Amino acid sequence: AGPSNEYAVYRGAVEGTVFKGPDGNMKKPPSNLFPTLWPFVQSLVFMALFLVIGGAYPLLDPADPQHNDPIIITEDFMKQNWPYRVLYCWIGLLAVRMKYYFGWKNAEGACNVWYSGFEGFDESGKEIGWSNSDNVDVLGFELPPDVQTMTKKWNKKTSDWLSRYVYIRTGGNLVAVYSTSAFWHGFYPGYYLFFLSVPLITFCDRLAKKKLSPLFSASQVSLYGALGTFATVISVNYMVLSFVLLAGDWGWRAWKSHYFFGHIGGIIMYAALSVMPSPKKKEKST
């Protein structure tokens, strides 16, 4: 479940070398009370939200989630209008994410008990921080400006590992990265439907940054920034339905119930941006 860390980080916490100051001498370990209790309190809040929201907006059939069709692809649910179904799925997926937030925040506090989250001291002898155990940026993931930022805020340590040992070593091959991630998760078809579809919106994201972003404000508060956040959130939530439902048939039917808008929209956007000329770079004034 994470957080995943390099062996050097683990060894530093176990052997106590993380407490060495810039002069090489051991310093007094800082208090770990707040870094331990705050993530724990957050984890309890996320668990409560998971129970409340998940109970009100279940995606799977609570009576028999393994065999009965998920609620979101049943005939009764399909009678609802499409905006309602999109909103329902978003809330249901939000509840599912609360379960992960609970686990990661709980693990963060547990890691900080024995200082594996502590980053040590800087050159002036001040504490650097406790981010070695921080595995998720909740607001950064829920309201991301783009797909790249979104992926870096979720399961951050595993994302770092995939970037360092797969992405860089394969020359920036996104398909290799997502295939490795799918294989690591297991063999449910829904994992592969999701991870092999995500590159589409990632490619669109890259093209938009290259050809559209220079034409508009870089601020996320702007209209362009807000539309980018909305497009990122709705497209990723659409794609991730297959991941959550696991079964290939269920995932496909969930996408079909939303008219494959994520795939069709992604293909159209990719084609349009591919033929769109790149904006000219502004010449630096001398």
Side-chain angles (χ1 to χ4, degrees):
S4 169
N5 277 317
E6 298 291 342
Y7 177 71
V9 173
Y10 166 79
R11 183 175 179 178
V14 172
E15 298 181 350
T17 55
V18 70
F19 303 122
K20 283 186 177 181
D23 56 1
N25 296 322
M26 299 296 287
K27 293 174 65 69
K28 181 181 177 181
S31 172
N32 61 353
L33 183 62
F34 183 78
T36 297
L37 291 182
W38 177 234
F40 175 67
V41 171
Q42 292 181 74
S43 74
L44 296 181
V45 173
F46 289 132
M47 176 52 70
L49 291 173
F50 166 68
L51 294 173
V52 174
I53 302 175
Y57 296 88
L59 301 178
L60 300 172
D61 187 345
D64 190 351
Q66 291 187 330
H67 298 97
N68 293 346
D69 281 348
I71 290 177
I72 58 174
I73 58 173
T74 59
E75 290 185 9
D76 289 340
F77 186 77
M78 289 298 296
K79 293 178 182 178
Q80 303 290 339
N81 60 71
W82 188 48
Y84 171 85
R85 287 185 275 129
V86 171
L87 181 61
Y88 183 101
C89 288
W90 178 80
I91 297 175
L93 289 170
L94 177 65
V96 172
R97 291 193 292 276
M98 292 296 164
K99 177 173 58 176
Y100 290 91
Y101 298 154
F102 159 77
W104 284 328
K105 285 300 178 181
N106 195 280
E108 179 182 341
C111 287
N112 290 342
V113 168
W114 58 285
Y115 290 92
S116 71
F118 183 57
E119 296 175 271
F121 301 95
D122 61 19
E123 295 179 356
S124 61
K126 295 181 180 179
E127 297 177 25
I128 297 176
W130 295 77
S131 67
N132 280 339
S133 57
D134 181 12
N135 209 29
V136 65
D137 178 348
V138 177
L139 287 179
F141 181 82
E142 294 295 338
L143 298 171
D146 50 64
V147 177
Q148 182 183 30
T149 301
M150 191 180 202
T151 55
K152 289 183 177 180
K153 302 299 183 181
W154 174 270
N155 201 355
K156 293 196 285 187
K157 301 305 177 182
T158 299
S159 178
D160 290 343
W161 186 92
L162 287 169
S163 176
R164 185 177 300 115
Y165 296 109
V166 182
Y167 183 76
I168 294 177
R169 296 189 180 191
T170 58
N173 190 324
L174 279 176
V175 176
V177 173
Y178 289 124
S179 297
T180 301
S181 187
F183 181 76
W184 178 85
H185 278 86
F187 296 101
Y188 283 106
Y191 293 150
Y192 294 86
L193 288 175
F194 169 69
F195 282 112
L196 295 179
S197 294
V198 169
L200 172 62
I201 55 177
T202 305
F203 293 145
C204 291
D205 179 64
R206 288 180 173 182
L207 283 173
K209 284 182 180 179
K210 180 181 178 181
K211 298 186 176 183
L212 287 181
S213 297
L215 303 175
F216 300 93
S217 171
S219 173
Q220 193 174 354
V221 183
S222 65
L223 177 60
Y224 176 75
L227 288 174
T229 296
F230 175 77
T232 299
V233 170
I234 196 171
S235 60
V236 172
N237 274 277
Y238 158 83
M239 293 290 187
V240 84
L241 284 172
S242 65
F243 181 98
V244 174
L245 299 182
L246 299 178
D249 176 59
W250 288 353
W252 184 262
R253 288 166 61 189
W255 285 347
K256 183 179 180 180
S257 72
H258 293 289
Y259 314 108
F260 297 103
F261 80 87
H263 290 86
I264 296 173
I267 292 172
I268 293 174
M269 183 174 181
Y270 182 80
L273 290 175
S274 295
V275 299
M276 178 180 174
S278 298
K280 295 181 179 179
K281 294 182 179 179
K282 295 181 180 180
E283 296 181 0
K284 295 182 179 180
S285 56
T286 56

